[in-house]
Amino acid sequence: MSHRLKGRGEEGDRSGRRPSRKQAARAEGAAGRRGAQPGQKEQAGGSPRPGSPRRKQAECRRHLEPLGEQGRSSAERTSKGRRKRDGRASLKKQRAPPKTEKEVSRQEEMWKRPKKHRPPSLASSASGAECLSEEERARILEQVEDSKKLIATMRNKPWPMTKKLRELREAQEFVEKYEGVLGKGKGKRLYAYRMLVAKKWVKFKRDFDNFKTQCIPWEMKIKDIESHFGSSVASYFIFLRWMYGVNLVLFGLIFGLVIIPEVLMGVPYGSIPRKTVPRAEEEKAMDFSVLWDFEGYIKYSALFYGYYNNQRTIGWLRYRLPMAYFMVGVSVFGYSLMIVIRSMASNTQGRASDGESANFTFSFKMFTSWDYLIGNSETADNKYASITTSFKESIVDEQESNKEENIHLTRFLRVLANFLIICCLCGSGYLIYFVVKRSQEFSKMQNVSWYERNEVEIVMSLLGMFCPPLFETIAALENYHPRVGLKWQLGRIFALFLGNLYTFLLALMDDVHLKLSNEETIKNITHWTLFNYYNSSGWNESVPRPPLHPADVPRGSCWETAVGIEFMRLTVSDMLVTYITILLGDFLRACFVRFMNYCWCWDLEAGFPSYAEFDISGNVLGLIFNQGMIWMGSFYAPGLVGINVLRLLTSMYFQCWAVMSSNVPHERMFKASRSNNFYMGLLLLVLFLSLLPVAYTIMSLPPSFDCGPFSGKNRMYDVIHETIENDFPTFLGKIFAFLANPGLIIPAILLMFLAIYYLNSVSKSLSRANAQLRKKIQALRVVEKSHKSVKGRRSTAESEDTAKDASQNATQLQLTEEGTTPHPASQNQTPGKKAQDPGTSSSASGTTLPASRHLSGAQPPGVRPDSGPARSQTHPWRSASGKSALRPPH
Amino acid sequence: MGNKQTVFTHEQLEAYQDCTFFTRKEIMRLFYRYQDLAPQLVPLDYTSCPDVKVPYELIGSMPELKDNPFRQRIAQVFSEDGDGHMTLDNFLDMFSVMSEMAPRDLKAYYAFKIYDFNNDGYICAWDLEQTVTKLTRGELSAEEVSLVCERVLDEADGDHDGRLSLEDFQNMILRAPDFLSTFHIRI
């Protein structure tokens, strides 16, 4: 057992390092198999070639001699060692014509030694290290390296813990002993020092990893949910946690670089008009109802765009705040794009290719459908049921794949459902447009009621609340598989939210344009007011007039702050609606069902209202769109990200509690394995869509003249020009001007397109090559099978030749595969593995059962005894299949 | 934090970290879980490596395992004598293989052993039947079960010998998109 496993483990190690070792690896695989019972080996293989074991043994000794001279004095150890060596030698002789294998076996010896022959004999020679020759030193160095690698990969070995611990201890001792010996003279201390540093570094890395895992929050909470509701619900919470992390970074960026410098170093509140509450609003500015709408003092605080001054530098640090504001706004998007794309890429990498799954429907169902995470009996019941149904469905599909009884009805229903949903979408879009238009009228009127002021938010939240369930009801007509249904549902809600958001944005843009057109007149008014104030008569001319109080200066409407406030209000109302929905729809419903069940005429728990299921699609999309609003709004309201961090934090705890207390697992459970990237894709889309309006306002709308860091400039991005002109040396400014030339930008864009095209075609051709290789391998396996089936009738010599060819082919294939696909992703390794593994795997647990043990040692009848070993060497799995042919069928 | 020195020596903890996919904290947590299963059996001092086994009945009743149809197989595969009684080492082994960080190959190897009910080194039709029955709690009829088994063998049996070898199994499972996410116990 241990032999076999080790063979496997080593093989794994080696294959990564050098392909030329494959022969050895395979050979050892074969050896391992035989190694299971030494006794039989001696009989079976020993007789035909009596000379070879001796020779091997001698060789073995020769290898050991330089190092192990003194070691033999310990008799007990030597005898043990010899026994081992005998075993090994005898199995080696079985394996191959020694001439060709000599090289390999020698290498193998060296590989093996650190593990098996790492005896005190070697250790005792450590004292005589000074007289080690160059090549011995090299060998020890190699052994030390091997041991280290063994230590590093110990956890990947399929050994029982006791064996792992023992091997680990031996390897560590070995490394300890010999590390110091290596390196000569002056280099020795350096070497020792390097080793020390390396050790410390490993320890530090481990401690750091320990620390990192401790820093991941809510691990246990999510685990709890996962065991109760399966991985699909947990994926929402993992997504939420990820989002929280991203928002924390954005929050740090904005707070650290924009808000805190402004608060610490900018001119204080009340000093200039933009930082003061106007006289008309002053008496109501502290009322809660006003603050709740983000008016009053909050409107004139650092949370919003309008508060920031257009002073080029602030404080003794000469911090360039407008520049920082702009750059932070850009880097919020840059960071988000980068992190989303990176996590998408890392999600794709671990994924096996899609095309394969069609070939293994039943196998995957059988071996991977049980979710080992489930730790809740109710969930387990559902899982059993869903597995049974899926098996039945597949069986039905299998039996009559083309028989769909009511295809016309289904089609009709699906078309009908889509029609209804499109109607809903158009209706909701129109409703929002209507409401936003109306709110613009309200905003002109005086003393409007609370409802009229908040109509837009209320209508949008209500639509977001009621449309998804409506869609779900309609989708029931369609009768899709739940996973497909989830995708459709997600797509529809996405369309709804997107439509709503963009209608809202368009209406907002209208508003902004209106405000911009009024700006000129307000500017004039401000100008005239100030002019009149300073030049009016009736004031003592001798004393200079005190400046006009900032609260009295007439000012523009500051559309940026208005937009920021809209987003802020939308975010808060969205959050409240979410929480209230959870409280009413889930918690109260659950309470009602639970407690009224005692005195009701039907079973509430099993019957109509029942408990709510956790709505994954709605929650995920809510999160995504909320994030979209944050991205859009954070440029106009730097405080928005802070609010969002709070929101995510509370919703993590609140939703965790709600889901555990009042939801039930899905009736038809399905896994969320692949949907993570789907979420990410949606997020990327939303990010892009929310980038558009912000980029539009930055590039083509003039900023307000009297508020915000860019006031007084023609466009917001002028701040960059200004910085380049004033703060950089002139030649840099020239370079930038040169770079911004369209004559340079257009070729650059063209070049990028070309690069994309090139990379795309390269990846396509690579994947085609991959597919072709896979096909080749499959064809090879088919050939193998046919060979095997006729093997009994053929002469062994013939089959040996073909087998050799085939094995060569396999090696070549593997080499080319490694060459063409630089990423050693798991799927790419499989063919290589296939070519390597069989020897070990086909014999895998042959040792566990006495009967099979007997068979595996015996030679297949009808095979010439001397060709047997050779054949098994070149093609280990051949003999395995021979065995299987012998064995009575189950 | 103070107890950790009394349960394991520093070297033991380091060795366990080398041999499993766990951090120090997780190892301690696993130990306490193990200890909780049989507080009167398991000592709180492991510095001298006591030879203690927790019987399968207690292992199988852990919340992580109690609803798993293959819990008995899991315990048997990871226990030393194949009887399901586990030492702490076996216990750590089990959860290490089942942890998130364990590589596909290792997981596939143990999954194969778990699904190989009769320990003969192959997943034969009988093993498959056992698996299906456990997965569906015997709600499929005999014909359906045999059909499913037939189809599985048809799909995954590379060398057409009527049963799945480890090679066949790995070949199949390496392509499974869900294997890593489902063959995983979080603790």
Side-chain angles (χ1 to χ4, degrees):
Chain A
M1 180 93 164
S2 68
H3 280 267
R4 173 168 50 80
L5 291 178
K6 177 191 309 237
R8 201 180 118 76
E10 283 173 359
E11 208 172 271
D13 286 350
R14 242 176 287 170
S15 60
R17 236 173 91 168
R18 34 187 127 160
S20 63
R21 281 286 164 85
K22 219 166 299 132
Q23 286 284 337
R26 192 173 301 150
E28 192 170 22
R33 172 151 33 90
R34 306 294 160 116
Q37 66 287 97
Q40 226 165 29
K41 235 179 300 139
E42 291 283 53
Q43 292 169 8
S47 43
R49 236 181 246 201
S52 80
R54 294 287 155 276
R55 197 160 53 186
K56 278 286 172 187
Q57 213 164 317
E59 206 173 62
C60 254
R61 291 271 160 67
R62 197 143 32 81
H63 274 302
L64 273 176
E65 222 124 49
L67 292 168
E69 201 94 57
Q70 301 99 311
R72 298 237 191 87
S73 58
S74 112
E76 194 252 8
R77 178 75 202 181
T78 323
S79 73
K80 211 202 261 173
R82 184 175 297 153
R83 196 149 23 91
K84 259 181 207 159
R85 252 168 280 158
D86 278 359
R88 207 165 284 269
S90 60
L91 40 113
K92 223 168 280 157
K93 124 230 94 184
Q94 231 191 14
R95 192 188 317 136
K99 270 169 280 167
T100 55
E101 276 301 284
K102 214 170 236 167
E103 291 287 309
V104 177
S105 68
R106 188 170 297 165
Q107 280 177 329
E108 208 169 281
E109 268 312 308
M110 298 202 312
W111 275 93
K112 234 170 267 167
R113 195 128 10 101
K115 284 151 199 148
K116 274 298 147 195
H117 301 268
R118 189 186 312 118
S121 62
L122 283 183
S124 62
S125 75
S127 55
E130 310 308 326
C131 51
L132 283 179
S133 77
E134 198 55 44
E135 121 193 40
E136 281 153 5
R137 196 187 300 281
R139 195 181 309 144
I140 297 182
L141 183 66
E142 196 176 338
Q143 287 168 12
V144 168
E145 288 303 316
D146 292 344
S147 302
K148 276 190 192 153
K149 211 156 84 192
L150 181 72
I151 292 172
T153 58
M154 187 60 79
R155 61 190 67 168
N156 290 342
K157 308 263 190 247
W159 300 335
M161 183 68 81
T162 37
K163 184 172 158 59
K164 273 193 278 193
L165 286 176
R166 199 177 58 236
E167 294 282 340
L168 181 74
R169 206 171 41 245
E170 281 177 18
Q172 274 170 345
E173 270 167 18
F174 183 80
V175 171
E176 290 273 313
K177 276 244 156 63
Y178 282 94
E179 233 163 30
V181 181
L182 295 165
K184 48 194 169 185
K186 261 198 321 199
K188 196 166 161 182
R189 279 183 60 193
L190 182 70
Y191 187 82
Y193 177 71
R194 270 208 341 246
M195 285 305 124
L196 192 73
V197 170
K199 230 185 275 175
K200 290 275 176 223
W201 173 239
V202 166
K203 187 162 161 38
F204 170 76
K205 262 204 312 208
R206 175 172 290 168
D207 284 346
F208 187 68
D209 284 347
N210 283 353
F211 174 73
K212 254 196 333 205
T213 47
Q214 277 183 24
C215 285
I216 297 174
W218 305 310
E219 197 67 28
M220 296 312 285
K221 261 187 192 314
I222 290 177
K223 190 227 144 192
D224 247 18
I225 289 172
E226 204 163 34
S227 64
H228 273 83
F229 294 90
S231 46
S232 54
V233 174
S235 75
Y236 164 73
F237 285 94
I238 291 172
F239 188 59
L240 179 62
R241 184 174 65 182
W242 183 84
M243 207 65 117
Y244 177 71
V246 172
N247 273 289
L248 269 190
V249 173
L250 299 184
F251 176 74
L253 212 63
I254 290 179
F255 260 61
L257 294 180
V258 173
I259 295 185
I260 290 182
E262 172 69 28
V263 169
L264 289 184
M265 299 188 290
V267 278
Y269 172 84
S271 53
I272 49 174
R274 70 186 65 180
K275 297 192 178 189
T276 321
V277 177
R279 191 70 75 196
E281 297 173 23
E282 222 162 38
E283 69 266 36
K284 283 203 292 184
M286 211 49 197
D287 291 0
F288 181 73
S289 64
V290 173
L291 291 182
W292 184 245
D293 285 339
F294 296 101
E295 298 280 343
Y297 282 106
I298 292 188
K299 185 176 174 184
Y300 301 97
S301 73
L303 293 184
F304 289 104
Y305 172 93
Y307 182 80
Y308 294 84
N309 197 359
N310 62 344
Q311 222 179 337
R312 245 173 57 80
T313 58
I314 55 171
W316 52 272
L317 276 178
R318 308 193 56 72
Y319 189 75
R320 286 163 174 75
L321 190 83
M323 184 66 187
Y325 196 100
F326 187 82
M327 292 316 281
V328 165
V330 170
S331 55
V332 160
F333 280 102
Y335 173 77
S336 311
L337 263 178
M338 197 192 73
I339 197 102
V340 170
I341 287 177
R342 213 180 60 182
S343 72
M344 270 180 94
S346 69
N347 276 356
T348 343
Q349 252 176 17
R351 206 166 77 182
S353 56
D354 296 334
E356 304 283 349
S357 55
N359 302 334
F360 293 106
T361 337
F362 280 92
S363 309
F364 288 170
K365 278 218 170 69
M366 181 170 291
F367 295 118
T368 66
S369 61
W370 184 262
D371 196 342
Y372 279 64
L373 284 164
I374 290 172
N376 171 280
S377 55
E378 205 179 331
T379 320
D381 286 344
N382 288 345
K383 189 77 192 171
Y384 282 123
S386 87
I387 289 176
T388 312
T389 356
S390 81
F391 266 126
K392 281 187 173 155
E393 276 172 6
S394 308
I395 290 171
V396 171
D397 280 356
E398 187 68 23
Q399 279 169 345
E400 39 206 322
S401 50
N402 46 3
K403 186 199 154 202
E404 181 125 7
E405 344 173 19
N406 251 329
I407 188 143
H408 293 298
L409 181 64
T410 322
R411 266 187 200 156
F412 170 73
L413 284 178
R414 283 180 187 177
V415 169
L416 181 70
N418 278 315
F419 177 72
L420 286 177
I421 282 169
I422 287 174
C423 287
C424 287
L425 289 178
C426 293
S428 79
Y430 177 71
L431 190 62
I432 288 179
Y433 187 74
F434 175 73
V435 168
V436 172
K437 278 284 164 210
R438 221 157 76 113
S439 79
Q440 283 166 6
E441 278 164 31
F442 286 141
S443 67
K444 283 178 204 136
M445 288 192 278
Q446 293 301 312
N447 57 32
V448 283
S449 67
W450 177 82
Y451 169 74
E452 283 166 340
R453 253 185 298 128
N454 292 297
E455 199 180 37
V456 182
E457 282 79 19
I458 292 172
V459 166
M460 279 186 75
S461 303
L462 284 181
L463 278 177
M465 203 159 95
F466 285 111
C467 278
L470 185 67
F471 288 174
E472 209 159 344
T473 325
I474 295 174
L477 286 177
E478 294 178 309
N479 201 12
Y480 278 124
H481 182 272
R483 208 174 310 176
V484 185
L486 178 72
K487 288 260 162 78
W488 275 94
Q489 175 79 355
L490 276 174
R492 282 163 188 165
I493 302 177
F494 189 80
L496 171 79
F497 283 3
L498 200 64
N500 294 0
L501 200 65
Y502 259 69
T503 330
F504 173 73
L505 273 183
L506 285 182
L508 212 60
M509 278 300 169
D510 269 3
D511 203 24
V512 167
H513 282 296
L514 200 73
K515 278 185 177 144
L516 275 177
S517 62
N518 289 339
E519 203 154 65
E520 203 52 40
T521 48
I522 295 175
K523 210 171 173 178
N524 281 339
I525 293 172
T526 316
H527 195 72
W528 273 107
T529 316
L530 290 178
F531 183 77
N532 286 339
Y533 177 73
Y534 287 114
N535 294 327
S536 61
S537 52
W539 187 268
N540 188 355
E541 296 293 331
S542 58
V543 208
R545 246 182 137 162
L548 184 61
H549 191 270
D552 295 325
V553 179
R555 57 184 93 157
S557 46
C558 198
W559 61 269
E560 291 95 340
T561 301
V563 170
I565 287 177
E566 284 298 325
F567 278 113
M568 204 73 134
R569 269 160 51 179
L570 213 56
T571 307
V572 170
S573 73
D574 187 43
M575 172 168 79
L576 290 181
V577 168
T578 314
Y579 290 171
I580 290 170
T581 324
I582 290 172
L583 218 54
L584 289 181
D586 291 349
F587 183 64
L588 280 188
R589 176 170 161 190
C591 285
F592 175 77
V593 168
R594 175 82 182 76
F595 294 110
M596 294 305 280
N597 206 21
Y598 297 120
C599 49
W600 205 262
C601 28
W602 69 82
D603 189 1
L604 284 173
E605 286 187 344
F608 162 57
S610 144
Y611 298 105
E613 285 178 358
F614 185 76
D615 174 22
I616 304 170
S617 54
N619 276 303
V620 165
L621 281 181
L623 202 59
I624 287 175
F625 271 89
N626 171 57
Q627 192 58 40
M629 283 195 284
I630 303 306
W631 276 324
M632 269 193 262
S634 68
F635 192 75
Y636 306 112
L640 192 58
V641 180
I643 302 264
N644 194 42
V645 166
L646 281 183
R647 175 214 159 114
L648 291 177
L649 193 67
T650 48
S651 82
M652 185 81 199
Y653 285 101
F654 188 62
Q655 288 195 306
C656 273
W657 165 79
V659 94
M660 292 303 275
S661 69
S662 48
N663 283 12
V664 287
H666 285 257
E667 216 165 291
R668 295 183 70 182
M669 294 225 331
F670 50 93
K671 286 182 293 287
S673 61
R674 225 84 60 75
S675 18
N676 268 339
N677 241 2
F678 189 64
Y679 297 161
M680 286 292 168
L682 290 184
L683 193 65
L684 191 65
L685 187 60
V686 166
L687 177 58
F688 180 70
L689 291 177
S690 55
L691 181 61
L692 282 183
V694 176
Y696 169 74
T697 52
I698 288 179
M699 297 313 272
S700 50
L701 288 186
S704 304
F705 73 100
D706 63 347
C707 69
F710 311 115
S711 57
K713 295 194 178 56
N714 198 20
R715 292 282 183 270
M716 290 182 186
Y717 63 83
D718 283 348
V719 71
I720 294 184
H721 285 288
E722 193 188 66
T723 313
I724 288 172
E725 270 169 30
N726 297 341
D727 298 336
F728 285 101
T730 42
F731 75 92
L732 265 181
K734 269 181 195 150
I735 290 176
F736 275 114
F738 180 63
L739 285 181
N741 188 353
L744 215 73
I745 287 180
I746 292 173
I749 291 175
L750 276 181
L751 199 69
M752 271 200 289
F753 272 118
L754 282 182
I756 290 172
Y757 178 74
Y758 170 73
L759 288 178
N760 197 23
S761 59
V762 163
S763 80
K764 248 184 211 157
S765 70
L766 278 183
S767 68
R768 207 176 305 133
N770 227 348
Q772 231 158 24
L773 284 172
R774 196 174 291 131
K775 221 178 277 169
K776 246 186 214 168
I777 287 166
Q778 252 159 14
L780 211 69
R781 294 185 69 187
V782 172
V783 171
E784 279 303 312
K785 273 175 233 156
S786 63
H787 273 315
K788 191 182 53 199
S789 59
V790 294
K791 193 187 66 185
R793 277 165 274 150
R794 272 202 195 168
S795 81
T796 33
E798 244 179 87
S799 68
E800 190 186 328
D801 280 348
T802 48
K804 252 181 196 156
D805 283 352
S807 78
Q808 263 171 5
N809 271 347
T811 345
Q812 272 174 2
L813 267 180
Q814 201 205 0
L815 284 177
T816 41
E817 175 114 339
E818 275 168 7
T820 47
T821 54
H823 302 292
S826 57
Q827 85 223 43
N828 292 341
Q829 277 177 351
T830 42
K833 268 223 124 46
K834 231 186 291 166
Q836 268 185 16
D837 261 359
T840 51
S841 53
S842 60
S843 72
S845 21
T847 47
T848 41
L849 211 79
S852 63
R853 179 180 296 180
H854 182 76
L855 277 168
S856 72
Q859 298 264 342
V863 175
R864 269 182 299 158
D866 54 345
S867 73
R871 209 196 47 199
S872 74
Q873 195 276 321
T874 48
H875 231 169
W877 63 83
R878 210 149 253 284
S879 71
S881 50
K883 271 176 302 172
S884 63
L886 263 183
R887 196 188 290 202
H890 281 275
Chain B
M1 280 290 143
N3 324 353
K4 118 173 113 188
Q5 264 70 30
T6 60
V7 180
F8 297 111
T9 61
H10 186 66
E11 288 74 34
Q12 271 178 316
L13 268 179
E14 288 290 314
Y16 277 136
Q17 285 184 72
D18 273 328
C19 293
T20 63
F21 293 95
F22 295 127
T23 62
R24 194 180 309 146
K25 190 182 150 206
E26 286 166 324
I27 289 170
M28 289 317 292
R29 198 166 70 219
L30 276 170
F31 170 74
Y32 287 118
R33 287 298 302 275
Y34 183 73
Q35 210 262 338
D36 268 354
L37 290 176
Q40 68 284 21
L41 223 74
V42 182
L44 269 172
D45 174 24
Y46 254 77
T47 45
S48 54
C49 305
D51 184 27
V52 179
K53 282 187 175 182
V54 169
Y56 164 71
E57 290 71 34
L58 292 174
I59 298 277
S61 67
M62 288 177 69
E64 280 81 4
L65 289 176
K66 74 175 181 355
D67 293 301
N68 195 319
F70 304 109
R71 59 184 177 281
Q72 191 164 8
R73 281 302 303 161
I74 297 175
Q76 283 170 356
V77 163
F78 284 99
S79 62
E80 252 151 50
D81 315 325
D83 50 6
H85 308 322
M86 296 187 120
T87 63
L88 177 67
D89 286 354
N90 302 146
F91 191 75
L92 285 175
D93 246 352
M94 170 166 80
F95 284 109
S96 171
V97 170
M98 290 302 202
S99 78
E100 220 163 349
M101 279 84 74
R104 237 170 217 269
D105 289 346
L106 188 66
K107 278 179 184 273
Y109 175 79
Y110 278 102
F112 179 80
K113 288 183 88 170
I114 287 171
Y115 294 123
D116 177 16
F117 280 80
N118 52 11
N119 292 330
D120 64 351
Y122 293 94
I123 296 182
C124 56
W126 186 77
D127 294 325
L128 290 176
E129 273 169 34
Q130 292 288 310
T131 313
V132 176
T133 321
K134 280 198 186 294
L135 269 180
T136 59
R137 283 189 176 157
E139 280 178 27
L140 291 183
S141 67
E143 297 93 67
E144 284 170 329
V145 170
S146 63
L147 183 77
V148 168
C149 298
E150 205 179 285
R151 292 291 304 147
V152 170
L153 282 179
D154 203 32
E155 285 167 3
D157 185 14
D159 45 13
H160 289 274
D161 59 353
R163 54 194 182 170
L164 303 184
S165 61
L166 179 61
E167 181 207 351
D168 294 331
F169 185 77
Q170 281 177 331
N171 183 22
M172 181 269 295
I173 214 79
L174 288 179
R175 288 143 203 245
D178 300 333
F179 176 63
L180 275 189
S181 61
T182 55
F183 196 74
H184 159 203
I185 295 178
R186 217 184 267 231
I187 188 143

